[in-house]
Amino acid sequence: MIGILTMLSVFANAQIDKVSAAISLLQKGNLDSAKTIIDLAVADTEIVNDGQAWYIRGFIYKSIYNAREKTNIKSPLRLEALNSFKRSLFIDTSLANVVENKKNIKYLAATLYNDVKASLDSVNYLIAIDNFEKFKTYSKLIDTSQETIKQNDIKFLLALASVYTQIYENDRKGKSEFLNLAKATYYKVLILESNNISANYNMGILFYNQAVQLINQSDYDIDIVALNDIQDNSVKLFKESLPFMEKAYQLDPKRREILLGLSGVHFSLNEKEKSDYYKQKLQELEKQK
Amino acid sequence: MKKLLLILISFVFLTSWMVKLPDEAEKAIAKPKAIYIYNFTKYIEWPAESKQGNFVVGILGISPVMISELSKAVEKNNSKPESRKIEIINLSSVDDVTKCHIVYILPDNSAQLAEVINKIKNKSTLIVTEKPGMTKQGAGINFVIKDDKLQFELNKPTIENHNMKVASGLEALAVH
């Protein structure tokens, strides 16, 4: 808050009429008028390249967002505020300006991130994706490390893949494209982090479930040739599942779901001994509990 | 502001150990066998004297999922008024095999093959098994895993000795 007061006094001293008027209106709580005036100010050719004017604009938009659009996950005011802080940051590189703008960008980026969490479901996932991309863009402006960005990406992609899987599972025939989206999303995680246990396990399970469903959804009155084709395709999918499951096992040999999955894949490939091996590992694990 | 950032830091996405293993894996193993057995009723011709009443498929051994899958496999056939009804029964004793057109001996019950052969003697009963080497011991058809998938061996002379005819199409699809 001290920062903003300092900024305000700088503007007052500069006697930039429109900006000063906007500041005055902001101080009086007249946010709509402050917004109208500051929009006129930054449209002025004399002020359009003034970093502090853009900072004030960002602050006014942020104030309106906080007052009225906090629950709007697609809030245009928040984006205007972020865009204004970003412009200010690029125009005026003085330390005080950089610190103040980054502080506000960090705050608004945090609201974006929290909205991603709130909206990452089968209905609003597209908004979540959009907000996450914006969150990433602005995170890069606030000295976020590459590793933090990567870890955020991984967390987001895993959750998104779960949503795609859920959409597919709820309507396998009507939403079959979501199975491929889920796989593609887990692949993205594996490109970022090949040793990610969750991505490996879930890729394995997606292929495994697909193989099982291929058989279980076939008609009962098919002929032997058609049955053989279905079996060939399902075997191919079971085999695609295996390396992911084995990798997950290598990374976490004591995870119940992985042992169950490996036992299931080998059982489905008619490899009874291997299936029993993992079943036994699972039993040993459960005895330890 | 501080509160919000704390929420951000502690926030973890709901990650995904939530894909469930299919509880239908057992069904996926049983279903191809059921489809095969239903196809055997079409590819093999039983003699005229065996064409009275329902066509009976008996399962020797305990497998509720196999009973269920076989019942589903014959459902469409049984819903047609003109079709001969196919009845799926669980055999509690080898004595009951004499009423069957097909006897499917589950792997755990393979040791009972000789007893079953002895019971059916001159009857037109197709014995289906699921253990290596069973066709050499008198089974008409034996399920095997070849090229990672369920296939079947066929002992044509054994089947023909029981007065059943094997369609050439079935013979061509068998593992040799």
Side-chain angles (χ1 to χ4, degrees):
Chain A
M1 197 61 192
I2 293 164
I4 181 66
L5 289 174
T6 310
M7 290 281 179
L8 301 183
S9 66
V10 167
F11 273 97
N13 292 338
Q15 293 180 331
I16 302 168
D17 289 347
K18 283 177 190 157
V19 178
S20 298
I23 292 167
S24 175
L25 288 163
L26 172 67
Q27 284 173 321
K28 288 172 189 163
N30 192 344
L31 298 175
D32 289 323
S33 299
K35 174 175 169 285
T36 305
I37 299 296
I38 198 69
D39 282 347
L40 286 171
V42 295
D44 191 316
T45 49
E46 283 181 22
I47 301 176
V48 71
N49 287 322
D50 188 317
Q52 296 193 341
W54 281 104
Y55 172 81
I56 294 300
R57 186 175 187 267
F59 200 89
I60 290 168
Y61 272 85
K62 186 187 95 172
S63 301
I64 305 174
Y65 162 74
N66 277 334
R68 298 178 198 156
E69 283 199 346
K70 218 53 194 300
T71 56
N72 180 1
I73 56 174
K74 293 200 285 185
S75 168
L77 291 167
R78 172 170 57 192
L79 295 180
E80 275 302 316
L82 279 163
N83 189 42
S84 298
F85 288 128
K86 183 181 158 187
R87 283 191 77 158
S88 175
L89 191 65
F90 287 152
I91 295 167
D92 182 350
T93 54
S94 67
L95 183 63
N97 191 58
V98 167
V99 168
E100 280 303 315
N101 277 296
K102 283 190 176 180
K103 196 166 79 181
N104 282 287
I105 289 172
K106 189 172 185 177
Y107 168 79
L108 289 171
T111 67
L112 273 172
Y113 194 81
N114 285 325
D115 281 352
V116 171
K117 176 204 164 193
S119 58
L120 194 49
D121 56 39
S122 57
V123 178
N124 295 305
Y125 67 93
L126 288 174
I127 299 169
I129 294 169
D130 191 44
N131 276 342
F132 185 73
E133 287 306 317
K134 289 183 174 106
F135 163 75
K136 272 174 69 176
T137 302
Y138 287 103
S139 291
K140 285 172 189 167
L141 298 178
I142 50 171
D143 307 326
T144 312
S145 74
Q146 284 299 311
E147 184 56 26
T148 304
I149 290 171
K150 184 177 127 180
Q151 289 308 320
N152 280 336
D153 264 343
I154 290 171
K155 281 182 207 164
F156 173 72
L157 290 169
L158 286 174
L160 181 63
S162 273
V163 171
Y164 287 149
T165 304
Q166 192 188 347
I167 295 171
Y168 167 69
E169 287 295 336
N170 288 341
D171 182 7
R172 287 174 189 164
K173 280 185 183 168
K175 307 271 181 170
S176 59
E177 72 273 22
F178 283 86
L179 174 62
N180 290 334
L181 281 172
K183 284 181 188 171
T185 308
Y186 284 126
Y187 267 126
K188 283 183 190 170
V189 175
L190 292 172
I191 288 167
L192 289 169
E193 190 176 79
S194 62
N195 283 349
N196 187 285
I197 302 172
S198 181
N200 274 295
Y201 166 77
N202 280 296
M203 276 296 272
I205 284 296
L206 283 179
F207 279 113
Y208 176 42
N209 282 345
Q210 196 184 356
V212 168
Q213 283 155 18
L214 193 65
I215 297 171
N216 288 349
Q217 285 171 2
S218 63
D219 287 334
Y220 282 92
D221 57 352
I222 54 173
D223 62 26
I224 293 172
V225 174
L227 175 63
N228 280 336
D229 287 344
I230 289 169
Q231 287 197 90
D232 285 338
N233 288 328
S234 73
V235 165
K236 198 176 149 204
L237 291 166
F238 282 129
K239 286 186 171 178
E240 283 194 75
S241 161
L242 206 48
F244 294 108
M245 284 292 201
E246 283 171 344
K247 179 82 175 179
Y249 176 69
Q250 184 193 327
L251 295 164
D252 188 355
K254 293 196 170 176
R255 187 128 198 170
R256 185 183 176 275
E257 293 92 341
I258 297 170
L259 291 169
L260 204 58
L262 269 171
S263 173
V265 174
H266 286 298
F267 178 73
S268 303
L269 284 169
N270 295 290
E271 295 168 344
K272 199 172 177 306
E273 276 182 24
K274 286 181 184 171
S275 174
D276 288 346
Y277 171 81
Y278 291 108
K279 206 182 279 179
Q280 197 188 327
K281 290 266 174 204
L282 181 63
Q283 284 165 356
E284 285 166 11
L285 185 73
E286 283 174 352
K287 271 183 202 165
Q288 287 168 16
K289 283 180 184 173
Chain B
M1 170 92 167
K2 270 185 183 172
K3 193 180 173 187
L4 182 75
L5 287 175
L6 278 176
I7 292 168
L8 174 67
I9 290 159
S10 62
F11 169 72
V12 177
F13 277 113
L14 181 65
T15 50
S16 39
W17 288 89
M18 49 197 283
V19 181
K20 287 179 185 165
L21 284 168
D23 52 7
E24 296 193 328
E26 210 183 340
K27 179 182 159 184
I29 293 285
K31 187 170 179 177
K33 293 171 193 165
I35 293 172
Y36 266 123
I37 291 172
Y38 176 56
N39 270 279
F40 298 154
T41 69
K42 295 188 278 187
Y43 280 99
I44 293 173
E45 191 184 338
W46 272 257
E49 60 268 25
S50 296
K51 289 183 177 168
Q52 301 299 312
N54 288 349
F55 186 95
V56 180
V57 177
I59 298 173
L60 189 60
I62 299 166
S63 176
V65 68
M66 199 63 231
I67 295 274
S68 164
E69 289 307 295
L70 264 171
S71 301
K72 285 176 193 164
V74 301
E75 218 166 61
K76 204 180 266 183
N77 171 81
N78 289 355
S79 66
K80 293 175 193 162
E82 73 280 10
S83 294
R84 187 181 181 193
K85 299 287 174 282
I86 302 173
E87 193 182 341
I88 310 298
I89 60 168
N90 195 196
L91 299 168
S92 51
S93 154
V94 175
D95 291 338
D96 296 331
V97 300
T98 52
K99 57 187 170 193
C100 299
H101 296 81
I102 295 177
V103 175
Y104 171 36
I105 305 175
L106 292 172
D108 288 348
N109 293 68
S110 298
Q112 290 176 285
L113 175 63
E115 215 181 328
V116 172
I117 292 170
N118 192 42
K119 282 279 173 194
I120 61 166
K121 276 186 183 159
N122 301 322
K123 291 186 74 72
S124 295
T125 302
L126 172 70
I127 300 173
V128 180
T129 52
E130 192 186 339
K131 197 176 178 185
M134 296 301 264
T135 43
K136 286 177 186 164
Q137 293 176 43
I141 287 177
N142 186 42
F143 286 129
V144 291
I145 301 299
K146 194 180 174 197
D147 301 331
D148 296 317
K149 65 185 174 191
L150 184 76
Q151 299 194 59
F152 65 94
E153 297 166 334
L154 182 82
N155 187 338
K156 195 179 174 191
T158 299
I159 297 171
E160 287 178 344
N161 283 343
H162 285 81
N163 299 319
M164 293 171 281
K165 282 183 190 165
V166 179
S168 57
L170 187 67
E171 206 180 339
L173 291 166
V175 170
H176 296 287

